[in-house]
Amino acid sequence: MNTRVFAYDTTLRDGSQAQGISFSVEDKLKIVRKLDELGIAYIEAGNPGSNPKDLEFFQRLPEIKLRQARITAFGSTCKVGADPAQDSQVASLLSVDTPAVAIFGKTWDYHVTAILRTTQKENLRMIRDTIAYVKTKGREVVFDAEHFFDGYKANPDYAFKALAAAVEGGADCLVLCDTNGGSFPDEIYDITQKAVESFPGTQIGIHCHNDCELAVANSVRAVQAGVTHVQGTINGIGERCGNANLCAIIPNLQLKLKYDVIPTENLTRLTPVARFVSEIANIEFNDKAAYVGGDAFTHKGGMHIDAVKKNPVSYEHIPPEAVGNERKVLMSEVAGRSTILGRINQIDPSLTKDSPETRAIINRLKELEHAGYQFESAESSFELLVRKMLGKFKPSFELTDFKVIVSEPSPHGANSSAMIKIRVEGEDEITAAEGDGPVNALDKALRRALYRFYPELREMKLTDYKVRVLDSYSASAAKVRVLIESADSSGSWTTIGVSNDVIEASWRALVDAIEYKLAKAREEN
Amino acid sequence: MNTRVFAYDTTLRDGSQAQGISFSVEDKLKIVRKLDELGIAYIEAGNPGSNPKDLEFFQRLPEIKLRQARITAFGSTCKVGADPAQDSQVASLLSVDTPAVAIFGKTWDYHVTAILRTTQKENLRMIRDTIAYVKTKGREVVFDAEHFFDGYKANPDYAFKALAAAVEGGADCLVLCDTNGGSFPDEIYDITQKAVESFPGTQIGIHCHNDCELAVANSVRAVQAGVTHVQGTINGIGERCGNANLCAIIPNLQLKLKYDVIPTENLTRLTPVARFVSEIANIEFNDKAAYVGGDAFTHKGGMHIDAVKKNPVSYEHIPPEAVGNERKVLMSEVAGRSTILGRINQIDPSLTKDSPETRAIINRLKELEHAGYQFESAESSFELLVRKMLGKFKPSFELTDFKVIVSEPSPHGANSSAMIKIRVEGEDEITAAEGDGPVNALDKALRRALYRFYPELREMKLTDYKVRVLDSYSASAAKVRVLIESADSSGSWTTIGVSNDVIEASWRALVDAIEYKLAKAREEN
């Protein structure tokens, strides 16, 4: 029987303090559902009294049928000198029906006198009385001991008195917070161990921040010192350098140290949940992230690739499937010919690494990489490139010309229109379309022109469109890289275009997307 | 006297294994110069025999007058059964004149038999003989003990025999590598301590990877266990989840644990170097990075901002200036009225937080944030917004209309042309311009139209242009956010535009950039 450690997610509360993060009520509800499915034990979701959005969220929460997670409202102790039963902030915290409530309080003597501007004794009363009052309402109470480690380093006696006040008030869990993120794994271990030993009847938890890039290590060391409650956020989002990253802590504890954090069968949900939260939060997903990142099991160096092919354990610390991730092997200069050859052989199995065709493809690849192309994430464009260079590609249409016009003020709703003339097997087609912006207009016009010849394009959709400025110093004439993801009922594919002009780059990626779809359709027939 | 720890940077070698990273010779030379100025003791720069680019780099290296760094060439032991003096890879490693050479060899018995496919004894010979041969050439030899921790866990006796073989060969430093990044701080500490105790006459080093998000902690713990040589990369770039991040390790060791890593006065170069390498590598800078990130000392929550204003130590673990970074205080929903009011008061000191104007501005700010605006990084657009709402803004020009035409194939060099008509104090001006892409054409045409009225615009330059797709699921009709950074001789400013159309979004940011410049010029006169 492994030891149970309770995962406590604060993505929606502390995580939402990060620069650029702002969750709608709808976003929050979606994330709660995902975290519950993942098996997160506690979801800290905000303070119903802090703003109307959080209040609406708590009111709509019953829409979701939770499997197991306990929703937690977050607030502070009562004000200096106040009776918790009369304190408006405490009242708002209790105004919604959550099974658990987190109360944070000061444990660093400096903060008590300099920031709260009260006496050490009054601060202890505020902690004790607030928790006692919330307990009378039948809630589970988590006490967040703010700045506990800094407080302990400054005045260990007072920091422990604050914990003791929380225990006297009836707190169910004491969470030791490294609020400023400045503590080190050895300190965290030693101080946490003292707390665990001093309050044997009470659950102890940990809450770390990543200001020294040590939050995951600190959380893991705290568990090794005896805590059974770990706070963090998905992808480590949070103020400044972020909170402790649950997407690394959970597999570290569960796969490596054999604690029970979430149901084992749910571990494969970790990568999808990480991507989901990143999308909802509208922040770029960190492909370098441990366990869940797109590059976490990506091999590029030729020697590494050879060894991984022999046995993945040679350069992988866990099987990627364990956390719902996957292995990738990249093409590029460094990847060496054998990897690229593997891809080429999917199209022409007769070629070897010394064939002149192979060399020509590798040279062209290098030229294009130099010009800003990155085929690592646009394998469909790479496949088309190989087909073209091997004479195994017949374009489905020729562009005669297009013209895109953007007008301001816009005469109708859409401010852009595109006119396009193409030729398919000797037949001309000319069409036009309006759109939101030039790329959208061009995309619509091109499809409209092609539907007559290739009705199968109707089932293809553009599902993602990304623009990356490559050399932003050239300002508005900068080179841009466009990645387009398309999908049909059988799967998705990504294509690329690079140009000084966003429309031209988009056009190239668009043409590749369509050609790839048509090549695929021809093969299936 | 603090203990000296030698920083060993492998950004140009192991770092360049990362997906999407490819340094030109020029890039490498620039980075070497910066690392030397920062005070990095060793710079591992590649293998002169691995490709022509690395060879050219080593040949051009004498162009740089290094202050103190020792350049290191990196390669492996000789081949199975080979005499190092006859081994072509070893020869290529010695073909360039570097003061130090890093030789990596196997220490995990599994890798010896399954990947190298040789005997344990032969592997020890390869290590010993290769190092001994390189030592006869007068080089300092760093032995990279590949997979040392995995090797130790599988067969501690053999892992230590491999280290002993390196010592017999004359290695100056034994670097314990957590190649797969799967080890934990407590294991690293215990195993490293054993190595330090077993080879008292030899320097011991550490080389970690971030697959468990523990690389910084592992490196720090290894130093605490006695190593005096730490390998890593700038910003932690590297294969998979990256290498150990020197930008966190150096300040952790130097500011917190009081080791001497780089000259103290150079610590302020850390943030600029991190940004520089990110730009050269053409990867997005991680604003959440510990110490050096743009958000590392950014405060958003109202309560935190109030406390930081009272005393920064309340929510900052170090003063940001110590590492060349700076404090930021953000405006936003969460930041609360007092922060926003501070900005408003710079324009109208008479307003209070209860003034109807303040409320109107906050409401408008919320609407715009909801629509995708982010004034956190575009303070000049925010300032213009406030001026507009307070009636303190007079537009410098009115747009009558513009038309942008993009043609393919492009009739001349530039594929885009813009025609614009504006009105300044009753006078019309109509101009046109061609450009690389529609935004560039529009930018040029607008400036050309305005120069007659506002010659001071000639000294203004667009220095950065960023496009961010906000809801990429709408594909080519997705909403985009454009940030434009402009500069003149007295400073730089950033403006923002949001729209479904990249041209419209760019137009808005462009107009703000120009209006801000003109407002500034008026104030100076």
Side-chain angles (χ1 to χ4, degrees):
Chain A
M1 189 57 188
N2 299 332
T3 305
R4 173 79 194 266
V5 172
F6 293 83
Y8 183 106
D9 180 278
T10 181
T11 305
L12 300 177
R13 203 274 307 167
D14 216 10
S16 75
Q17 296 286 313
Q19 175 167 20
I21 304 267
S22 174
F23 294 117
S24 69
V25 173
E26 210 57 58
D27 291 342
K28 285 188 143 192
L29 292 168
K30 281 185 200 163
I31 290 173
V32 164
R33 193 175 283 123
K34 287 283 178 186
L35 294 175
D36 179 45
E37 287 169 8
L38 179 62
I40 298 293
Y42 294 84
I43 301 172
E44 188 174 82
N47 182 335
S50 74
N51 62 63
K53 209 161 76 175
D54 273 15
L55 184 60
E56 187 192 336
F57 162 80
F58 280 105
Q59 285 165 343
R60 286 184 52 191
L61 201 53
E63 291 173 15
I64 301 178
K65 222 180 138 50
L66 293 172
R67 296 182 190 183
Q68 53 81 35
R70 290 172 81 79
I71 297 289
T72 310
F74 173 88
S76 69
T77 61
C78 66
K79 286 208 173 63
V80 173
D83 173 357
Q86 309 296 325
D87 187 285
S88 62
Q89 187 267 142
V90 175
S92 77
L93 201 50
L94 293 169
S95 68
V96 290
D97 186 27
T98 61
V101 168
I103 299 285
F104 80 90
K106 301 283 186 193
T107 64
W108 185 357
D109 57 356
Y110 161 76
H111 263 258
V112 173
T113 49
I115 310 290
L116 269 190
R117 298 195 171 154
T118 186
T119 64
Q120 294 192 0
K121 198 175 156 195
E122 167 61 6
N123 178 57
L124 298 179
R125 182 204 66 84
M126 287 154 60
I127 294 171
R128 187 177 48 240
D129 287 3
T130 306
I131 293 174
Y133 175 69
V134 175
K135 284 303 292 179
T136 66
K137 303 294 172 184
R139 313 297 173 92
E140 179 177 347
V141 175
V142 173
F143 175 62
D144 275 4
E146 203 194 12
H147 287 113
F148 178 75
F149 294 95
D150 290 320
Y152 182 88
K153 288 179 234 171
N155 184 344
D157 184 51
Y158 188 71
F160 268 80
K161 276 190 181 148
L163 295 185
V167 172
E168 284 168 37
D172 298 284
C173 182
L174 307 174
V175 180
L176 315 180
C177 302
D178 185 30
T179 307
N180 295 5
S183 297
F184 276 54
D186 53 335
E187 300 173 327
I188 295 275
Y189 185 87
D190 294 343
I191 299 172
T192 300
Q193 206 172 37
K194 289 201 181 79
V196 169
E197 283 164 5
S198 303
F199 301 97
T202 309
Q203 186 182 32
I204 310 288
I206 185 80
H207 173 111
C208 292
H209 282 264
N210 209 26
D211 299 76
C212 298
E213 209 184 316
L214 295 169
V216 170
N218 287 346
S219 305
V220 167
R221 291 300 286 153
V223 171
Q224 291 177 319
V227 314
T228 56
H229 165 123
V230 178
Q231 300 198 353
T233 63
I234 300 299
N235 301 326
I237 66 171
E239 197 169 24
R240 305 190 310 272
C241 306
N243 284 57
N245 181 5
L246 286 178
C247 296
I249 292 170
I250 292 172
N252 275 341
L253 292 177
Q254 190 135 349
L255 290 174
K256 299 296 188 77
L257 301 179
K258 308 298 174 197
Y259 289 92
D260 280 339
V261 188
I262 60 175
T264 308
E265 64 275 18
N266 288 2
L267 264 181
T268 58
R269 293 176 185 262
L270 200 63
T271 300
V273 167
R275 288 192 174 274
F276 177 84
V277 170
S278 179
E279 267 167 30
I280 294 274
N282 201 5
I283 48 174
E284 199 170 345
F285 186 61
N286 176 15
D287 274 324
K288 308 300 295 174
Y291 293 99
V292 299
D295 294 348
F297 302 93
T298 291
H299 303 283
K300 184 172 163 185
M303 199 176 53
H304 285 203
I305 292 176
D306 291 343
V308 165
K309 279 181 185 161
K310 285 178 187 162
N311 188 343
V313 79
S314 59
Y315 287 96
E316 283 177 357
H317 69 121
I318 60 155
E321 310 76 42
V323 290
N325 208 339
E326 56 180 18
R327 178 175 310 127
K328 282 186 207 146
V329 170
L330 296 180
M331 304 164 304
S332 92
E333 256 177 279
V334 197
R337 299 196 171 189
S338 75
T339 319
I340 297 171
L341 187 64
R343 311 252 165 195
I344 295 173
N345 282 343
Q346 288 170 3
I347 293 158
D348 184 343
S350 74
L351 294 176
T352 69
K353 74 176 162 51
D354 299 316
S355 308
E357 293 90 341
T358 305
R359 246 174 263 173
I361 290 168
I362 287 172
N363 288 338
R364 180 78 186 125
L365 192 61
K366 282 184 186 174
E367 279 170 34
L368 288 169
E369 283 191 346
H370 184 74
Y373 277 79
Q374 275 290 355
F375 292 101
E376 292 165 356
S377 41
E379 300 195 352
S380 303
S381 281
F382 178 72
E383 193 181 319
L384 288 172
L385 172 74
V386 173
R387 286 176 184 274
K388 280 175 200 169
M389 295 205 57
L390 297 178
K392 290 179 185 276
F393 174 80
K394 196 182 142 294
S396 306
F397 67 96
E398 281 164 61
L399 173 71
T400 310
D401 56 50
F402 71 66
K403 225 180 250 319
V404 182
I405 301 174
V406 186
S407 305
E408 189 76 34
S410 49
H412 337 288
N415 74 341
S416 296
S417 52
M419 202 198 66
I420 191 166
K421 189 173 172 187
I422 58 159
R423 173 170 273 244
V424 177
E425 291 174 9
E427 259 191 274
D428 287 326
E429 175 78 18
I430 181 162
T431 54
E434 286 183 339
D436 288 330
V439 178
N440 186 234
L442 190 59
D443 174 28
K444 283 184 176 170
L446 175 62
R447 285 154 183 275
R448 198 172 287 178
L450 290 169
Y451 283 157
R452 177 154 76 90
F453 306 100
Y454 305 108
E456 61 268 43
L457 288 178
R458 287 183 189 272
E459 66 142 9
M460 165 185 165
K461 281 191 172 43
L462 258 65
T463 50
D464 198 1
Y465 172 73
K466 285 203 183 79
V467 180
R468 165 93 196 276
V469 178
L470 295 183
D471 48 349
S472 52
Y473 282 120
S474 327
S476 63
K479 192 176 266 189
V480 293
R481 181 193 294 148
V482 167
L483 286 173
I484 285 181
E485 189 188 272
S486 311
D488 61 17
S489 53
S490 68
S492 74
W493 60 99
T494 302
T495 52
I496 187 172
V498 173
S499 167
N500 284 332
D501 169 10
V502 65
I503 296 184
E504 169 121 5
S506 305
W507 168 258
R508 288 178 188 170
L510 206 55
V511 169
D512 268 12
I514 286 170
E515 290 287 11
Y516 186 83
K517 161 74 183 166
L518 294 174
K520 222 174 46 150
R522 272 192 291 271
E523 268 169 23
E524 280 159 14
N525 290 335
Chain B
M1 188 62 189
N2 299 332
T3 304
R4 173 79 195 266
V5 172
F6 293 83
Y8 183 108
D9 180 278
T10 182
T11 304
L12 300 178
R13 205 276 305 168
D14 216 10
S16 75
Q17 297 286 311
Q19 176 166 18
I21 305 270
S22 174
F23 294 117
S24 69
V25 172
E26 210 58 58
D27 291 343
K28 285 188 142 193
L29 292 170
K30 281 185 201 162
I31 291 173
V32 164
R33 193 175 284 122
K34 289 281 180 189
L35 295 175
D36 178 46
E37 287 169 7
L38 179 62
I40 298 292
Y42 293 84
I43 302 172
E44 188 173 83
N47 182 336
S50 74
N51 61 62
K53 209 162 73 177
D54 274 14
L55 183 60
E56 187 194 336
F57 162 80
F58 280 104
Q59 286 165 343
R60 287 185 52 192
L61 202 54
E63 291 173 16
I64 301 179
K65 224 181 134 49
L66 294 172
R67 296 184 191 182
Q68 52 79 38
R70 290 171 80 77
I71 297 290
T72 310
F74 173 89
S76 71
T77 60
C78 65
K79 287 209 170 64
V80 173
D83 172 358
Q86 309 295 325
D87 188 285
S88 63
Q89 187 266 145
V90 175
S92 78
L93 202 50
L94 292 169
S95 69
V96 290
D97 185 27
T98 61
V101 169
I103 300 285
F104 81 89
K106 300 286 187 192
T107 65
W108 184 358
D109 58 354
Y110 161 75
H111 263 257
V112 173
T113 50
I115 309 291
L116 269 190
R117 298 196 171 152
T118 187
T119 63
Q120 293 192 0
K121 198 176 157 195
E122 168 61 6
N123 178 57
L124 298 179
R125 182 205 65 84
M126 288 155 61
I127 293 171
R128 188 176 48 239
D129 287 4
T130 306
I131 293 173
Y133 176 69
V134 174
K135 283 303 290 180
T136 66
K137 303 294 173 184
R139 313 297 173 91
E140 178 176 348
V141 175
V142 173
F143 175 61
D144 275 6
E146 203 194 11
H147 287 113
F148 179 75
F149 295 95
D150 290 322
Y152 182 89
K153 287 179 233 172
N155 184 342
D157 185 49
Y158 188 71
F160 268 79
K161 277 190 181 148
L163 295 185
V167 172
E168 283 168 38
D172 298 285
C173 181
L174 306 174
V175 180
L176 315 180
C177 301
D178 187 30
T179 308
N180 294 6
S183 298
F184 275 55
D186 53 334
E187 300 172 328
I188 295 275
Y189 185 87
D190 294 343
I191 299 171
T192 300
Q193 204 171 40
K194 287 199 181 82
V196 170
E197 284 164 4
S198 303
F199 301 97
T202 309
Q203 185 181 32
I204 309 289
I206 185 80
H207 173 112
C208 293
H209 282 264
N210 208 25
D211 299 74
C212 297
E213 210 183 316
L214 295 169
V216 170
N218 287 346
S219 305
V220 167
R221 290 301 285 154
V223 171
Q224 291 177 318
V227 314
T228 55
H229 164 125
V230 179
Q231 299 198 353
T233 62
I234 300 298
N235 300 325
I237 66 171
E239 198 168 24
R240 305 189 312 271
C241 307
N243 284 57
N245 182 5
L246 286 179
C247 296
I249 292 171
I250 292 173
N252 276 341
L253 293 178
Q254 191 136 348
L255 290 173
K256 298 295 186 77
L257 301 179
K258 308 299 175 195
Y259 289 91
D260 280 339
V261 188
I262 59 175
T264 309
E265 64 275 17
N266 287 3
L267 265 180
T268 56
R269 292 176 184 262
L270 200 64
T271 301
V273 166
R275 289 193 173 273
F276 178 84
V277 170
S278 179
E279 266 169 30
I280 293 275
N282 202 6
I283 48 175
E284 200 170 344
F285 186 62
N286 176 13
D287 274 325
K288 310 299 294 173
Y291 294 100
V292 299
D295 294 349
F297 302 93
T298 291
H299 304 282
K300 185 171 162 183
M303 199 178 53
H304 285 205
I305 291 176
D306 291 343
V308 165
K309 279 181 185 160
K310 284 180 188 161
N311 186 344
V313 80
S314 59
Y315 285 97
E316 283 176 358
H317 69 121
I318 59 154
E321 310 76 40
V323 291
N325 208 339
E326 56 180 21
R327 179 174 308 127
K328 284 186 205 145
V329 170
L330 297 179
M331 305 163 304
S332 93
E333 257 179 277
V334 196
R337 297 197 173 191
S338 74
T339 319
I340 297 170
L341 186 64
R343 311 250 166 200
I344 294 174
N345 282 344
Q346 288 170 3
I347 293 157
D348 184 342
S350 74
L351 294 175
T352 68
K353 73 176 164 51
D354 298 317
S355 308
E357 293 90 341
T358 305
R359 245 175 263 173
I361 290 168
I362 288 172
N363 288 339
R364 180 76 185 128
L365 191 63
K366 282 186 185 172
E367 278 170 34
L368 288 169
E369 281 191 346
H370 184 74
Y373 277 79
Q374 273 291 354
F375 291 101
E376 293 166 355
S377 41
E379 301 195 351
S380 302
S381 281
F382 178 70
E383 191 181 319
L384 288 172
L385 173 74
V386 173
R387 285 175 185 273
K388 280 175 199 167
M389 296 203 57
L390 297 179
K392 289 179 187 275
F393 174 79
K394 192 181 146 294
S396 306
F397 68 95
E398 282 165 60
L399 174 71
T400 310
D401 57 50
F402 72 67
K403 224 179 252 318
V404 182
I405 300 174
V406 186
S407 305
E408 189 74 34
S410 47
H412 338 286
N415 75 342
S416 297
S417 51
M419 202 197 67
I420 191 165
K421 188 174 173 185
I422 57 157
R423 173 171 274 244
V424 178
E425 291 174 11
E427 260 189 274
D428 285 326
E429 174 80 16
I430 180 160
T431 54
E434 288 183 338
D436 287 331
V439 178
N440 186 233
L442 190 58
D443 175 26
K444 282 183 178 173
L446 175 61
R447 284 155 184 275
R448 199 171 286 178
L450 289 170
Y451 283 158
R452 178 154 75 93
F453 306 102
Y454 305 108
E456 61 269 42
L457 288 177
R458 287 185 189 270
E459 66 141 9
M460 163 187 167
K461 282 191 172 39
L462 257 67
T463 50
D464 199 1
Y465 172 74
K466 286 206 183 75
V467 180
R468 166 92 197 274
V469 178
L470 294 182
D471 48 348
S472 51
Y473 280 121
S474 326
S476 64
K479 192 176 268 192
V480 293
R481 180 193 296 150
V482 167
L483 287 173
I484 285 181
E485 189 190 272
S486 310
D488 60 19
S489 53
S490 68
S492 75
W493 60 99
T494 302
T495 53
I496 187 171
V498 174
S499 168
N500 284 334
D501 169 11
V502 65
I503 296 184
E504 169 121 4
S506 305
W507 168 258
R508 288 179 189 169
L510 206 55
V511 169
D512 269 10
I514 286 170
E515 289 287 11
Y516 185 81
K517 160 73 185 168
L518 293 174
K520 220 172 47 145
R522 271 192 291 273
E523 267 170 24
E524 280 161 11
N525 290 334

